Amino acid sequence: MNSKRGQWASNLGFILAAAGSAVGLGNIWKFPGKIAAYGGGAFLLLYVLIVALIGLPVMLAELSIGRATQKNVVGAFHSLNRRWTFCGALGVITLFVILSYYCIVGGWVMKYVFVYLTGAHFPATAAPFQDFFVQFISAPVQPLLWGALFLGACIFVVVRGVSSGIEKFSKFLMPCLFLLLISIMLRAVTLPNAWEGVKYLFEIRPEAINGDTLVAALGQAFFSLSVGMGIMVTYGSYVPKKENLLRSAVMICFLDTLVAILAGLAIVPVVFATMGAEGLGMGGGFAFMALPEVFAMMPGGVLFGLAFFLLLFLAALTSAISILESCTAFLNEELHWSRLKSTLLLAVPMSLFSIGYSLSQNADRGLNLPWLDWKHGLQWLPMNAVMEKFTDNLMIPLGALLFCVFVGWIWGTSKAAKEIRGEAQKPFKLEKFWSFIVRYVAPVVILIILYFTLIQGQG
Ligand code: TYR
């Protein structure tokens, strides 16, 4: 074993860091929008089932690869089976693209924190809120500066290393995030008319359970759990050999889902309370457009606004850190660049993607890229849409599929299971069931998803 490698100082630290990776913009920015778009409770139900039955097993598979090899994602595959090195490389490419847009959205969040902090008030009616957001994100330079600042914050933590950087920050940031989220949620569900929103979230309308909802729930689950691209290989590689991985993985999935549901409860009722059901159409814009309006109408709203965007910032930061760490670990261990050099040299090519993503928020300035699916043929779409489709619809499911095939059929679930058990070497509960899922169920389900997104052009 490489004695210079970092390790988590405690299992709690690992769980919080991994939960910090999982809990991110996906939970607070994307999830409430998805749940609104796909019919409330039906989506929630499918989502929770998918997390438990597919997401958790895939996460375990990933963690086991990392812990067994104690290497970055490319090195890990290389050492288990040279021919599968490409699988780790695909992971790094996916991470690189995700980080380039994650930083831009993270920058938007920082801008909002700044606006609330400096006491600048947003206008009090709906349209100006939307205008404010749209004008800001479609400006040429300002969002890039905020994005750079956000990336700078990630670099600041990652160069400090695993236990004294990522772990230390996560142990402090994650509890803050919970406290903030719970207080915002309590405020949201006690607004007048909020009950309609709560009902919407939990009421299962059978007609909303369909293929579209399933595809959306699966994509969201992988993105939200940070599986399918090697983050969990990297984070698993820092776990000491003695630990049992099952308990940690269950905890990480539980925390991630809890935060998603709490975020749904903090946001959807607020939209119902102020705009009624039509407000749901705002999808991903909830956080940036609907909520500031609500905060402006609430007593003490500026404080809530500040708390909310601070929360979103912490969530985004700990996730972006995990992405940067996974790319950095690869450069650091394979090319022997220092952590600082790795992060800085990564930032250069990444900025090009970030710039493209940010500029294409503005249709006039927009850069278009080709996207191909069977149903619609070749389309030219804004670069931001193509980047999100590339990662969410193609690379993440493909990565998860390859990880499952590798663990299930190449490396073997019995070796992986041994790794998961930890020091005690007692077979874990449902070990056979887990192996069945990784070998058969997850690959089939992921193939179905890929069929819908790539052949049917959904999503
Ligand atoms: N899981 C994070 C979220 O929910 C985002 C993320 C996505 C983090 C992919 C890492 C990753 O590889 O926002």
Side-chain angles (χ1 to χ4, degrees):
M1 204 179 87
N2 179 351
S3 60
K4 282 204 318 265
R5 277 192 107 237
Q7 261 201 355
W8 306 114
S10 68
N11 206 41
L12 177 70
F14 157 57
I15 292 174
L16 289 179
S21 168
V23 171
L25 295 170
N27 305 58
I28 302 168
W29 176 49
K30 282 193 182 180
F31 183 81
K34 288 255 159 84
I35 211 173
Y38 290 95
F43 179 86
L44 184 60
L45 176 72
L46 289 178
Y47 180 82
V48 171
L49 286 176
I50 286 171
V51 167
L53 293 177
I54 314 268
L56 174 64
V58 176
M59 182 182 286
L60 272 173
E62 262 194 55
L63 287 170
S64 69
I65 296 176
R67 221 257 307 264
T69 56
Q70 314 262 301
K71 290 209 159 96
N72 68 87
V73 59
V74 177
F77 277 96
H78 185 77
S79 70
L80 289 176
N81 185 326
R82 267 163 193 261
R83 275 199 256 146
W84 281 73
T85 311
F86 78 94
C87 196
L90 285 183
V92 173
I93 295 173
T94 315
L95 291 170
F96 178 85
V97 177
I98 292 184
L99 187 58
S100 65
Y101 67 75
Y102 217 81
C103 283
I104 295 294
V105 181
W108 300 349
V109 178
M110 280 181 102
K111 158 83 179 180
Y112 272 58
V113 172
F114 176 77
V115 171
Y116 277 106
L117 256 185
T118 52
H121 289 283
F122 292 112
T125 53
F129 278 104
Q130 295 180 24
D131 291 350
F132 178 89
F133 178 62
V134 172
Q135 268 165 23
F136 166 62
I137 65 170
S138 50
V141 180
Q142 224 202 77
L144 293 176
L145 297 178
W146 286 104
L149 202 62
F150 183 83
L151 179 62
C154 299
I155 292 179
F156 178 82
V157 176
V158 169
V159 292
R160 284 175 166 63
V162 177
S163 73
S164 45
I166 302 172
E167 182 170 358
K168 216 167 87 196
F169 280 86
S170 306
K171 269 176 138 170
F172 169 70
L173 297 180
M174 292 306 285
C176 295
L177 183 145
F178 268 99
L179 281 179
L180 280 172
L181 184 58
I182 289 175
S183 32
I184 295 171
M185 188 274 289
L186 288 177
R187 175 67 207 133
V189 296
T190 47
L191 287 170
N193 288 337
W195 192 240
E196 288 303 307
V198 177
K199 246 178 45 202
Y200 181 84
L201 275 180
F202 292 105
E203 204 169 49
I204 299 170
R205 288 179 295 117
E207 72 278 11
I209 302 187
N210 53 38
D212 283 0
T213 314
L214 188 68
V215 172
L218 204 111
Q220 172 67 20
F222 284 166
F223 185 88
S224 187
L225 295 173
S226 305
V227 297
M229 57 221 110
I231 298 260
M232 292 298 160
V233 174
T234 311
Y235 274 24
S237 76
Y238 304 136
V239 179
K241 281 284 186 190
K242 63 179 193 315
E243 304 292 348
N244 172 306
L245 295 173
L246 177 67
R247 239 178 309 137
S248 310
V250 169
M251 203 58 205
I252 299 163
C253 291
F254 171 76
L255 288 175
D256 187 62
T257 309
L258 181 68
V259 171
I261 295 175
L262 288 175
L265 275 173
I267 295 178
V268 176
V270 164
V271 176
F272 268 87
T274 53
M275 302 179 187
E278 316 82 81
L280 291 180
M282 296 172 83
F286 274 160
F288 295 100
M289 296 189 277
L291 290 182
E293 184 189 355
V294 177
F295 296 141
M297 292 188 299
M298 283 164 40
V302 174
L303 265 185
F304 269 97
L306 179 60
F308 178 80
F309 285 100
L310 214 51
L311 162 79
L312 202 53
F313 169 65
L314 300 183
L317 186 67
T318 46
S319 298
I321 285 172
S322 72
I323 309 180
L324 184 62
E325 170 62 24
S326 302
C327 298
T328 305
F330 158 63
L331 296 174
N332 177 250
E333 290 170 13
E334 303 300 319
L335 305 183
H336 307 293
W337 294 353
S338 73
R339 294 177 79 84
L340 182 65
K341 179 171 167 194
S342 307
T343 51
L344 293 179
L345 288 184
L346 260 174
V348 176
M350 216 187 79
S351 310
L352 295 179
F353 284 87
S354 302
I355 293 172
Y357 182 84
S358 184
L359 290 184
S360 53
Q361 300 294 333
N362 182 336
D364 301 336
R365 214 177 284 119
L367 302 165
N368 286 344
L369 290 180
W371 178 257
L372 186 66
D373 70 51
W374 191 263
K375 187 160 171 199
H376 304 100
L378 183 72
Q379 300 159 271
W380 286 85
L381 300 176
M383 183 164 169
N384 55 338
V386 173
M387 284 166 73
E388 287 174 29
K389 275 177 185 283
F390 174 73
T391 54
D392 297 12
N393 294 357
L394 174 66
M395 296 301 273
I396 298 180
L398 185 66
L401 176 66
L402 290 170
F403 288 159
C404 289
V405 171
F406 180 77
V407 170
W409 299 94
I410 310 288
W411 186 40
T413 44
S414 56
K415 287 195 194 120
K418 256 193 177 155
E419 192 59 52
I420 293 169
R421 293 176 199 160
E423 199 175 45
Q425 280 302 315
K426 233 179 52 223
F428 56 88
K429 258 194 226 148
L430 302 177
E431 203 171 281
K432 291 228 165 68
F433 182 62
W434 168 77
S435 156
F436 177 70
I437 299 238
V438 171
R439 286 164 66 97
Y440 301 98
V441 182
V444 170
V445 173
I446 298 170
L447 279 173
I448 295 175
I449 300 304
L450 283 169
Y451 167 81
F452 276 109
T453 51
L454 300 181
I455 308 287
Q456 296 291 331
Q458 283 181 15

